Amino acid sequence: DTEVTQTPKHLVMGMTNKKSLKCEQHMGHRAMYWYKQKAKKPPELMFVYSYEKLSINESVPSRFSPECPNSSLLNLHLHALQPEDSALYLCASSHGRTGLTYEQYFGPGTRLTVT
Amino acid sequence: AQSVSQHNHHVILSEAASLELGCNYSYGGTVNLFWYVQYPGQHLQLLLKYFSGDPLVKGIKGFEAEFIKSKFSFNLRKPSVQWSDTAEYFCAVNSRTGGFKTIFGAGTRLFVKA
């Protein structure tokens, strides 16, 4: 199974809402990533978890809160977002050995619209 | 600062034409290099990768890329494109010692006319 799944596929939320994005993989990967992709732009790294510990936080605003409950799951909790946060949010996973970073497997993304 | 530069933002080719997409990077140390592809309506997927060894690497669907260390380049090639190659192509780099941070180029939108 080389699939990364993400739910929901689409999400519309108001600026005062709290919602969560979910990501799951069963490839035994120990590194998981959140990216943000705006239209016609490349993915921008937000967070990386390695062995369930937060390894990279690219100075993301605190209204985005990641969580890695176990080695297969990755969540992104959203609260008090702004309209400019509307984007495609991608989850990815890879082998987790630092120094031998392997290719990433991407999920289909969650299309988020903040109204 | 670390960066990845893709020279062509939009490319239009006829079927059977040859393709070369440029990618240059600015990154200290030993790097891993990737080309990812995003077909319309599909998720990002790996096309090919270079970690070490032969600088000419072959990927899926007849694509290949050549790593030229002296030029900090990793150009993507295909001798004869097909309509199904219409997609967006991203060059990506990470540092062998820098952990998991991967930097993507801006992407090249390829449209192949049937």
Side-chain angles (χ1 to χ4, degrees):
Chain A
D1 183 3
T2 58
E3 193 179 16
V4 176
T5 58
Q6 290 187 244
T7 55
K9 289 186 178 179
H10 300 274
L11 178 62
V12 179
M13 60 185 290
M15 289 189 284
T16 58
N17 291 158
K18 283 187 182 181
K19 296 285 184 184
S20 296
L21 308 184
K22 296 186 183 303
C23 174
E24 190 167 3
Q25 57 88 16
H26 295 287
M27 293 177 277
H29 290 167
R30 301 309 296 272
M32 295 186 77
Y33 309 71
W34 281 115
Y35 287 88
K36 175 181 177 180
Q37 187 178 25
K38 293 280 227 180
K40 300 184 181 180
K41 296 289 186 183
E44 294 176 34
L45 184 65
M46 301 174 71
F47 303 103
V48 182
Y49 274 82
S50 173
Y51 291 85
E52 294 89 72
K53 288 186 169 46
L54 186 62
S55 176
I56 295 177
N57 177 342
E58 287 289 283
S59 303
V60 179
S62 60
R63 57 186 183 269
F64 295 91
S65 174
E67 179 196 17
C68 190
N70 61 54
S71 60
S72 300
L73 294 174
L74 185 67
N75 298 323
L76 186 62
H77 303 297
L78 314 172
H79 175 52
L81 294 193
Q82 303 297 309
E84 59 264 28
D85 296 322
S86 298
L88 182 69
Y89 287 84
L90 297 171
C91 175
S93 69
S94 74
H95 294 288
R97 290 173 60 195
T98 303
L100 281 173
T101 311
Y102 295 96
E103 65 268 24
Q104 294 171 48
Y105 292 77
F106 284 85
T110 292
R111 177 78 57 191
L112 174 67
T113 303
V114 182
T115 60
Chain B
Q2 300 154 350
S3 65
V4 179
S5 181
Q6 292 183 238
H7 314 305
N8 317 97
H9 294 294
H10 292 92
V11 174
I12 300 175
L13 295 172
S14 297
E15 276 196 314
S18 63
L19 170 72
E20 180 158 3
L21 301 183
C23 172
N24 286 91
Y25 65 91
S26 172
Y27 219 113
T30 307
V31 294
N32 301 315
L33 297 154
F34 309 88
W35 277 96
Y36 287 90
V37 61
Q38 193 166 28
Y39 297 103
Q42 297 188 28
H43 57 272
L44 268 170
Q45 55 189 286
L46 183 72
L47 199 55
L48 47 75
K49 62 190 178 192
Y50 173 80
F51 293 147
S52 64
D54 188 345
L56 183 63
V57 292
K58 295 193 184 300
I60 59 171
K61 303 187 180 185
F63 285 90
E64 64 179 31
E66 185 175 14
F67 170 49
I68 304 180
K69 190 174 180 180
S70 60
K71 294 185 178 180
F72 299 92
S73 70
F74 190 54
N75 292 353
L76 181 70
R77 299 194 290 250
K78 185 171 184 179
S80 175
V81 294
Q82 300 173 318
W83 175 81
S84 57
D85 293 324
T86 294
E88 183 146 27
Y89 294 81
F90 293 97
C91 180
V93 178
N94 66 19
S95 167
R96 197 78 59 81
T97 56
F100 303 103
K101 183 172 180 177
T102 298
I103 295 181
F104 285 79
T108 297
R109 285 181 175 262
L110 171 66
F111 179 72
V112 180
K113 297 184 289 185

